[in-house]
Every structure is written in C-alpha cells, then in structure tokens.
Amino acid sequence: EIVMTQSPATLSVSPGERATLSCRASQSVSNSLAWYQQKPGQAPRLLIYGAYTRATGIPARFSGSGSGTEFTLTISSLQSEDFAVYYCQQYNNWPPLTFGGGTKVEIK
Amino acid sequence: QVQLQESGPGLVKPSETLSLTCTVSGGSISSYYWTWIRQPPGKGLEWIGYIHYSGSTNSNPSLKSRVTTSIDTSKNQFSLKLSSVTAADTAVYYCSSGGLWYFDLWGRGTLVTVSS
C-alpha cells in the first residue's frame, strides 16, 4: 500500500498570501495524484487531478505540481473561502486508493 | 445535474452488518464507477471500494473480507454492506463517482455510529 504523507499538518496564512502544501508518496505514483478541499460538514471537492489539471470550475489560483513522490498544491492568493482541509490522493498503485492525512489551512 | 444521496441506519450494533444505499438522481447509474469512501470523525479519508454498472467490483484489501457492494440499475441505486462492524467502523460514509480513480461527484455523507 502506498502511504501518502502531507505537510504541514496545519498551515496558518493571512488572506491574500500564498499557501504551499506538500504531499509525499512512499513510492513513485508518477503523476497519478489528485487534490481535494474539504470544509467542515461538507464532502470533499475535487480540485486537481493528474497532479496539475484543474477540475471543472476550479479557480486558477489553485495549481498543482510535482511527479514521482513529491507534489505541491499552491493557492496563489488565499481567499476567505479557501480556509479548509486539503487532501492528496494517489491512484497509481491500487487497490487501495490512498489519501494523505490532510493539511488544515487556517487564518493567521 | 447528477446528485448522490446516501441513506441507511445511523446506528449499528457491534458485530452486526452496516447497510447503506446511495441513490443516483439526475442521471443514469448505467455508466461510470460508483465508489464508497469513509471518514472517521476528525480523521482522514479511506477508500472502501467501487462497483461498476456491469457488476465488477474492487475493494480495500483491509476491508475486503467484510465488504459487499451491489448495484440496482432499475432503481438507480448502489449499496454497501460492511459486516462484523466494530467501533472502528464509526465514520461518515460517502458515496461518490466521476471516475474510477478520482472523484468529482459526492453525496453529502451519512454518519454511522457503531455502538450498543
């Protein structure tokens, strides 16, 4: 099973600033990596798939990069609605599909 | 647009079987892969497994012996059964879809508590 590790666990950022979230895979997942955003009491929302392709309707301030074992989600200028928990998920080696433990982006 | 809605008991006794149904509205279940994902309170996401409208399935090896998924195309529903539950199975259970590997369509989730 591929283990996905996200860092940091919590990221404190001021509105308008850039946020950089990391996700590391225990072995290469090529570019088979998705990112999700989850707000309290809501289901996750797909942001990115294929490591860098934005899902339908996702604003351009969200961008993904990386391949192999190291990935990054960047939010270029945080808006109030972006404060949430973010999860990465690999789909290169499965079953099982596996998720990271999440990074909470909170208001500084 | 396609919407998903989970339904089922919110409380299950230990050692019994958890049963959930996901109703697909606004579209046909006879396409795509239909997936179950769960999230224990305050924790991360765990993929449970999927079923395709053709009936093919796959599930998380850690749960495989306890998971049964089924699909009813006449009702536009798919279902999850998880047997021999323990407190560790307490979670919000989501049905989802959009693809085999990543998911852009989710239900709102339903909390299932395992307790006597």
Side-chain angles (χ1 to χ4, degrees):
Chain A
E1 173 176 326
I2 294 181
V3 176
M4 307 300 292
T5 303
Q6 291 186 242
S7 62
T10 303
L11 185 62
S12 298
V13 185
S14 299
E17 291 188 341
R18 174 187 295 256
T20 302
L21 289 66
S22 295
C23 175
R24 173 176 292 177
S26 60
Q27 64 188 78
S28 177
V29 299
S30 186
N31 66 342
S32 301
L33 192 285
W35 289 94
Y36 298 84
Q37 176 194 67
Q38 187 178 34
K39 297 179 181 179
Q42 296 184 17
R45 176 174 72 144
L46 178 67
L47 298 176
I48 301 281
Y49 61 91
Y52 56 81
T53 302
R54 279 189 300 277
T56 302
I58 302 304
R61 65 180 180 273
F62 292 92
S63 63
S65 63
S67 65
T69 62
E70 301 283 345
F71 300 87
T72 300
L73 175 70
T74 301
I75 311 170
S76 60
S77 177
L78 270 162
Q79 306 298 302
S80 57
E81 62 267 30
D82 300 335
F83 293 96
V85 179
Y86 293 83
Y87 294 96
C88 61
Q89 176 229 324
Q90 70 82 22
Y91 51 93
N92 190 67
N93 283 21
W94 65 281
L97 301 172
T98 51
F99 293 85
T103 290
K104 180 180 181 180
V105 177
E106 65 176 23
I107 300 174
K108 186 174 183 180
Chain B
Q1 71 277 19
V2 179
Q3 294 185 312
L4 306 180
Q5 178 66 61
E6 305 89 350
S7 59
L11 181 63
V12 181
K13 290 182 168 55
S15 79
E16 296 190 344
T17 296
L18 177 160
S19 296
L20 295 174
T21 296
C22 183
T23 300
V24 180
S25 59
S28 173
I29 202 169
S30 296
S31 59
Y32 304 121
Y33 292 83
W34 305 96
T35 296
W36 292 97
I37 291 167
R38 70 180 183 179
Q39 184 172 37
K43 296 188 178 180
L45 300 161
E46 180 179 31
W47 177 77
I48 299 172
Y50 74 77
I51 185 164
H52 188 250
Y53 74 93
S54 65
S56 68
T57 64
N58 208 330
S59 57
N60 195 318
S62 69
L63 301 171
K64 199 176 187 78
S65 63
R66 299 195 291 131
V67 168
T68 303
T69 52
S70 60
I71 195 163
D72 187 335
T73 54
S74 67
K75 294 182 179 179
N76 243 27
Q77 295 177 332
F78 63 105
S79 298
L80 168 71
K81 291 187 186 299
L82 182 66
S83 64
S84 304
V85 298
T86 70
D89 295 309
T90 294
V92 175
Y93 286 76
Y94 294 101
C95 56
S96 63
S97 188
L100 177 58
W101 302 307
Y102 48 84
F103 316 104
D104 63 357
L105 181 62
W106 295 71
R108 297 180 66 176
T110 187
L111 174 63
V112 179
T113 301
V114 178
S115 175
S116 56

mmCIF file of all heavy atoms in Angstrom, chain B residues 45-75:
data_model
loop_
_atom_site.group_PDB
_atom_site.id
_atom_site.type_symbol
_atom_site.label_atom_id
_atom_site.label_comp_id
_atom_site.label_asym_id
_atom_site.label_seq_id
_atom_site.Cartn_x
_atom_site.Cartn_y
_atom_site.Cartn_z
ATOM 1 N N LEU B 45 -9.589 10.446 5.051
ATOM 2 C CA LEU B 45 -10.455 9.695 4.153
ATOM 3 C C LEU B 45 -9.903 8.302 3.888
ATOM 4 O O LEU B 45 -8.691 8.110 3.750
ATOM 5 C CB LEU B 45 -10.576 10.456 2.828
ATOM 6 C CG LEU B 45 -11.164 11.862 2.937
ATOM 7 C CD1 LEU B 45 -10.821 12.689 1.708
ATOM 8 C CD2 LEU B 45 -12.671 11.782 3.133
ATOM 9 N N GLU B 46 -10.803 7.334 3.786
ATOM 10 C CA GLU B 46 -10.424 5.955 3.488
ATOM 11 C C GLU B 46 -11.302 5.430 2.357
ATOM 12 O O GLU B 46 -12.528 5.428 2.462
ATOM 13 C CB GLU B 46 -10.560 5.060 4.721
ATOM 14 C CG GLU B 46 -10.169 3.611 4.455
ATOM 15 C CD GLU B 46 -10.289 2.725 5.672
ATOM 16 O OE1 GLU B 46 -11.168 2.993 6.525
ATOM 17 O OE2 GLU B 46 -9.529 1.747 5.787
ATOM 18 N N TRP B 47 -10.649 4.953 1.298
ATOM 19 C CA TRP B 47 -11.371 4.361 0.179
ATOM 20 C C TRP B 47 -11.841 2.968 0.563
ATOM 21 O O TRP B 47 -11.056 2.152 1.043
ATOM 22 C CB TRP B 47 -10.432 4.286 -1.020
ATOM 23 C CG TRP B 47 -10.981 3.642 -2.245
ATOM 24 C CD1 TRP B 47 -11.844 4.194 -3.146
ATOM 25 C CD2 TRP B 47 -10.663 2.338 -2.751
ATOM 26 N NE1 TRP B 47 -12.089 3.300 -4.165
ATOM 27 C CE2 TRP B 47 -11.383 2.151 -3.952
ATOM 28 C CE3 TRP B 47 -9.853 1.298 -2.299
ATOM 29 C CZ2 TRP B 47 -11.308 0.988 -4.711
ATOM 30 C CZ3 TRP B 47 -9.773 0.125 -3.048
ATOM 31 C CH2 TRP B 47 -10.501 -0.011 -4.243
ATOM 32 N N ILE B 48 -13.139 2.718 0.378
ATOM 33 C CA ILE B 48 -13.702 1.410 0.725
ATOM 34 C C ILE B 48 -13.730 0.506 -0.495
ATOM 35 O O ILE B 48 -13.305 -0.659 -0.450
ATOM 36 C CB ILE B 48 -15.123 1.567 1.292
ATOM 37 C CG1 ILE B 48 -15.095 2.405 2.572
ATOM 38 C CG2 ILE B 48 -15.747 0.196 1.536
ATOM 39 C CD1 ILE B 48 -16.485 2.770 3.090
ATOM 40 N N GLY B 49 -14.251 1.015 -1.614
ATOM 41 C CA GLY B 49 -14.308 0.211 -2.817
ATOM 42 C C GLY B 49 -15.286 0.772 -3.827
ATOM 43 O O GLY B 49 -15.939 1.782 -3.580
ATOM 44 N N TYR B 50 -15.357 0.115 -4.967
ATOM 45 C CA TYR B 50 -16.249 0.580 -6.021
ATOM 46 C C TYR B 50 -17.033 -0.576 -6.618
ATOM 47 O O TYR B 50 -16.670 -1.754 -6.469
ATOM 48 C CB TYR B 50 -15.472 1.288 -7.133
ATOM 49 C CG TYR B 50 -14.679 0.360 -8.050
ATOM 50 C CD1 TYR B 50 -15.302 -0.384 -9.060
ATOM 51 C CD2 TYR B 50 -13.307 0.234 -7.913
ATOM 52 C CE1 TYR B 50 -14.576 -1.223 -9.886
ATOM 53 C CE2 TYR B 50 -12.576 -0.609 -8.739
ATOM 54 C CZ TYR B 50 -13.217 -1.334 -9.723
ATOM 55 O OH TYR B 50 -12.497 -2.175 -10.540
ATOM 56 N N ILE B 51 -18.096 -0.205 -7.347
ATOM 57 C CA ILE B 51 -18.815 -1.133 -8.193
ATOM 58 C C ILE B 51 -19.080 -0.435 -9.514
ATOM 59 O O ILE B 51 -19.366 0.756 -9.552
ATOM 60 C CB ILE B 51 -20.127 -1.634 -7.540
ATOM 61 C CG1 ILE B 51 -20.777 -2.704 -8.421
ATOM 62 C CG2 ILE B 51 -21.084 -0.487 -7.225
ATOM 63 C CD1 ILE B 51 -21.849 -3.509 -7.691
ATOM 64 N N HIS B 52 -18.934 -1.170 -10.602
ATOM 65 C CA HIS B 52 -19.263 -0.679 -11.925
ATOM 66 C C HIS B 52 -20.646 -1.183 -12.282
ATOM 67 O O HIS B 52 -21.096 -2.204 -11.749
ATOM 68 C CB HIS B 52 -18.221 -1.193 -12.927
ATOM 69 C CG HIS B 52 -18.335 -0.622 -14.297
ATOM 70 N ND1 HIS B 52 -18.755 -1.378 -15.378
ATOM 71 C CD2 HIS B 52 -18.090 0.616 -14.774
ATOM 72 C CE1 HIS B 52 -18.761 -0.627 -16.462
ATOM 73 N NE2 HIS B 52 -18.355 0.589 -16.120
ATOM 74 N N TYR B 53 -21.328 -0.463 -13.176
ATOM 75 C CA TYR B 53 -22.689 -0.866 -13.509
ATOM 76 C C TYR B 53 -22.718 -2.276 -14.113
ATOM 77 O O TYR B 53 -23.745 -2.953 -14.063
ATOM 78 C CB TYR B 53 -23.343 0.132 -14.456
ATOM 79 C CG TYR B 53 -22.853 0.076 -15.872
ATOM 80 C CD1 TYR B 53 -23.494 -0.703 -16.829
ATOM 81 C CD2 TYR B 53 -21.750 0.819 -16.271
ATOM 82 C CE1 TYR B 53 -23.048 -0.746 -18.134
ATOM 83 C CE2 TYR B 53 -21.296 0.789 -17.574
ATOM 84 C CZ TYR B 53 -21.944 0.000 -18.498
ATOM 85 O OH TYR B 53 -21.496 -0.038 -19.792
ATOM 86 N N SER B 54 -21.587 -2.716 -14.658
ATOM 87 C CA SER B 54 -21.525 -4.082 -15.187
ATOM 88 C C SER B 54 -21.505 -5.124 -14.079
ATOM 89 O O SER B 54 -21.692 -6.313 -14.342
ATOM 90 C CB SER B 54 -20.260 -4.236 -16.032
ATOM 91 O OG SER B 54 -19.113 -4.098 -15.208
ATOM 92 N N GLY B 55 -21.264 -4.652 -12.845
ATOM 93 C CA GLY B 55 -21.208 -5.565 -11.713
ATOM 94 C C GLY B 55 -19.804 -5.845 -11.208
ATOM 95 O O GLY B 55 -19.640 -6.453 -10.153
ATOM 96 N N SER B 56 -18.800 -5.394 -11.939
ATOM 97 C CA SER B 56 -17.427 -5.611 -11.461
ATOM 98 C C SER B 56 -17.173 -4.756 -10.219
ATOM 99 O O SER B 56 -17.704 -3.655 -10.085
ATOM 100 C CB SER B 56 -16.420 -5.275 -12.555
ATOM 101 O OG SER B 56 -16.412 -3.895 -12.828
ATOM 102 N N THR B 57 -16.389 -5.299 -9.317
ATOM 103 C CA THR B 57 -16.126 -4.617 -8.049
ATOM 104 C C THR B 57 -14.658 -4.723 -7.681
ATOM 105 O O THR B 57 -13.921 -5.574 -8.193
ATOM 106 C CB THR B 57 -16.953 -5.231 -6.910
ATOM 107 O OG1 THR B 57 -16.547 -6.598 -6.715
ATOM 108 C CG2 THR B 57 -18.444 -5.191 -7.208
ATOM 109 N N ASN B 58 -14.255 -3.867 -6.757
ATOM 110 C CA ASN B 58 -12.952 -3.971 -6.123
ATOM 111 C C ASN B 58 -13.054 -3.246 -4.793
ATOM 112 O O ASN B 58 -13.885 -2.334 -4.637
ATOM 113 C CB ASN B 58 -11.851 -3.363 -6.987
ATOM 114 C CG ASN B 58 -10.505 -4.016 -6.747
ATOM 115 O OD1 ASN B 58 -10.222 -4.486 -5.644
ATOM 116 N ND2 ASN B 58 -9.679 -4.073 -7.785
ATOM 117 N N SER B 59 -12.251 -3.664 -3.844
ATOM 118 C CA SER B 59 -12.352 -3.032 -2.531
ATOM 119 C C SER B 59 -10.999 -2.999 -1.847
ATOM 120 O O SER B 59 -10.049 -3.666 -2.252
ATOM 121 C CB SER B 59 -13.379 -3.752 -1.663
ATOM 122 O OG SER B 59 -13.054 -5.112 -1.524
ATOM 123 N N ASN B 60 -10.957 -2.211 -0.781
ATOM 124 C CA ASN B 60 -9.744 -2.053 0.001
ATOM 125 C C ASN B 60 -9.372 -3.404 0.630
ATOM 126 O O ASN B 60 -10.193 -4.016 1.314
ATOM 127 C CB ASN B 60 -9.982 -1.001 1.087
ATOM 128 C CG ASN B 60 -8.704 -0.507 1.718
ATOM 129 O OD1 ASN B 60 -7.804 -1.296 2.000
ATOM 130 N ND2 ASN B 60 -8.632 0.783 1.946
ATOM 131 N N PRO B 61 -8.145 -3.869 0.403
ATOM 132 C CA PRO B 61 -7.757 -5.152 0.986
ATOM 133 C C PRO B 61 -7.960 -5.217 2.496
ATOM 134 O O PRO B 61 -8.227 -6.301 3.032
ATOM 135 C CB PRO B 61 -6.278 -5.268 0.608
ATOM 136 C CG PRO B 61 -6.164 -4.480 -0.654
ATOM 137 C CD PRO B 61 -7.106 -3.318 -0.457
ATOM 138 N N SER B 62 -7.856 -4.064 3.165
ATOM 139 C CA SER B 62 -8.014 -4.069 4.625
ATOM 140 C C SER B 62 -9.461 -4.336 5.038
ATOM 141 O O SER B 62 -9.716 -4.687 6.189
ATOM 142 C CB SER B 62 -7.557 -2.723 5.194
ATOM 143 O OG SER B 62 -8.448 -1.689 4.820
ATOM 144 N N LEU B 63 -10.381 -4.182 4.114
ATOM 145 C CA LEU B 63 -11.805 -4.372 4.413
ATOM 146 C C LEU B 63 -12.443 -5.460 3.570
ATOM 147 O O LEU B 63 -13.603 -5.832 3.796
ATOM 148 C CB LEU B 63 -12.572 -3.068 4.142
ATOM 149 C CG LEU B 63 -12.143 -1.836 4.918
ATOM 150 C CD1 LEU B 63 -12.846 -0.596 4.362
ATOM 151 C CD2 LEU B 63 -12.445 -1.996 6.401
ATOM 152 N N LYS B 64 -11.665 -5.990 2.626
ATOM 153 C CA LYS B 64 -12.223 -6.829 1.562
ATOM 154 C C LYS B 64 -13.112 -7.965 2.063
ATOM 155 O O LYS B 64 -14.162 -8.246 1.504
ATOM 156 C CB LYS B 64 -11.087 -7.413 0.728
ATOM 157 C CG LYS B 64 -11.506 -7.912 -0.641
ATOM 158 C CD LYS B 64 -10.298 -8.377 -1.433
ATOM 159 C CE LYS B 64 -10.679 -8.715 -2.862
ATOM 160 N NZ LYS B 64 -10.842 -7.500 -3.678
ATOM 161 N N SER B 65 -12.695 -8.610 3.138
ATOM 162 C CA SER B 65 -13.444 -9.782 3.606
ATOM 163 C C SER B 65 -14.792 -9.391 4.202
ATOM 164 O O SER B 65 -15.660 -10.242 4.367
ATOM 165 C CB SER B 65 -12.618 -10.544 4.644
ATOM 166 O OG SER B 65 -12.383 -9.733 5.779
ATOM 167 N N ARG B 66 -14.966 -8.106 4.504
ATOM 168 C CA ARG B 66 -16.203 -7.669 5.155
ATOM 169 C C ARG B 66 -17.105 -6.842 4.251
ATOM 170 O O ARG B 66 -18.219 -6.523 4.628
ATOM 171 C CB ARG B 66 -15.873 -6.842 6.408
ATOM 172 C CG ARG B 66 -15.081 -7.601 7.455
ATOM 173 C CD ARG B 66 -15.110 -6.868 8.789
ATOM 174 N NE ARG B 66 -14.358 -5.626 8.785
ATOM 175 C CZ ARG B 66 -14.821 -4.464 9.229
ATOM 176 N NH1 ARG B 66 -16.050 -4.377 9.688
ATOM 177 N NH2 ARG B 66 -14.047 -3.383 9.219
ATOM 178 N N VAL B 67 -16.607 -6.474 3.070
ATOM 179 C CA VAL B 67 -17.330 -5.558 2.187
ATOM 180 C C VAL B 67 -18.079 -6.297 1.092
ATOM 181 O O VAL B 67 -17.525 -7.182 0.430
ATOM 182 C CB VAL B 67 -16.347 -4.553 1.558
ATOM 183 C CG1 VAL B 67 -17.012 -3.778 0.417
ATOM 184 C CG2 VAL B 67 -15.829 -3.582 2.609
ATOM 185 N N THR B 68 -19.324 -5.902 0.907
ATOM 186 C CA THR B 68 -20.109 -6.355 -0.244
ATOM 187 C C THR B 68 -20.744 -5.131 -0.881
ATOM 188 O O THR B 68 -21.374 -4.329 -0.196
ATOM 189 C CB THR B 68 -21.217 -7.332 0.170
ATOM 190 O OG1 THR B 68 -20.644 -8.442 0.852
ATOM 191 C CG2 THR B 68 -21.977 -7.831 -1.055
ATOM 192 N N THR B 69 -20.546 -4.978 -2.180
ATOM 193 C CA THR B 69 -21.205 -3.889 -2.897
ATOM 194 C C THR B 69 -22.123 -4.487 -3.951
ATOM 195 O O THR B 69 -21.859 -5.558 -4.494
ATOM 196 C CB THR B 69 -20.184 -2.953 -3.563
ATOM 197 O OG1 THR B 69 -19.269 -3.730 -4.347
ATOM 198 C CG2 THR B 69 -19.415 -2.153 -2.536
ATOM 199 N N SER B 70 -23.201 -3.773 -4.205
ATOM 200 C CA SER B 70 -24.163 -4.231 -5.205
ATOM 201 C C SER B 70 -24.765 -3.037 -5.909
ATOM 202 O O SER B 70 -24.633 -1.896 -5.448
ATOM 203 C CB SER B 70 -25.255 -5.076 -4.548
ATOM 204 O OG SER B 70 -25.942 -4.321 -3.575
ATOM 205 N N ILE B 71 -25.403 -3.293 -7.035
ATOM 206 C CA ILE B 71 -25.993 -2.221 -7.820
ATOM 207 C C ILE B 71 -27.353 -2.668 -8.329
ATOM 208 O O ILE B 71 -27.546 -3.838 -8.672
ATOM 209 C CB ILE B 71 -25.049 -1.818 -8.977
ATOM 210 C CG1 ILE B 71 -25.448 -0.484 -9.601
ATOM 211 C CG2 ILE B 71 -24.932 -2.926 -10.017
ATOM 212 C CD1 ILE B 71 -24.336 0.142 -10.442
ATOM 213 N N ASP B 72 -28.302 -1.733 -8.315
ATOM 214 C CA ASP B 72 -29.638 -1.998 -8.813
ATOM 215 C C ASP B 72 -29.948 -0.946 -9.870
ATOM 216 O O ASP B 72 -30.333 0.180 -9.539
ATOM 217 C CB ASP B 72 -30.656 -1.944 -7.664
ATOM 218 C CG ASP B 72 -32.051 -2.371 -8.097
ATOM 219 O OD1 ASP B 72 -32.377 -2.268 -9.298
ATOM 220 O OD2 ASP B 72 -32.829 -2.801 -7.234
ATOM 221 N N THR B 73 -29.739 -1.306 -11.120
ATOM 222 C CA THR B 73 -29.905 -0.329 -12.196
ATOM 223 C C THR B 73 -31.368 0.082 -12.351
ATOM 224 O O THR B 73 -31.653 1.194 -12.780
ATOM 225 C CB THR B 73 -29.369 -0.880 -13.522
ATOM 226 O OG1 THR B 73 -29.988 -2.143 -13.802
ATOM 227 C CG2 THR B 73 -27.854 -1.068 -13.453
ATOM 228 N N SER B 74 -32.303 -0.794 -11.969
ATOM 229 C CA SER B 74 -33.726 -0.457 -12.112
ATOM 230 C C SER B 74 -34.129 0.657 -11.143
ATOM 231 O O SER B 74 -35.058 1.416 -11.412
ATOM 232 C CB SER B 74 -34.589 -1.693 -11.895
ATOM 233 O OG SER B 74 -34.495 -2.130 -10.552
ATOM 234 N N LYS B 75 -33.424 0.740 -10.015
ATOM 235 C CA LYS B 75 -33.725 1.759 -9.018
ATOM 236 C C LYS B 75 -32.716 2.906 -9.043
ATOM 237 O O LYS B 75 -32.834 3.863 -8.267
ATOM 238 C CB LYS B 75 -33.752 1.147 -7.618
ATOM 239 C CG LYS B 75 -34.876 0.158 -7.393
ATOM 240 C CD LYS B 75 -34.849 -0.359 -5.958
ATOM 241 C CE LYS B 75 -35.987 -1.336 -5.710
ATOM 242 N NZ LYS B 75 -35.943 -1.865 -4.307
#
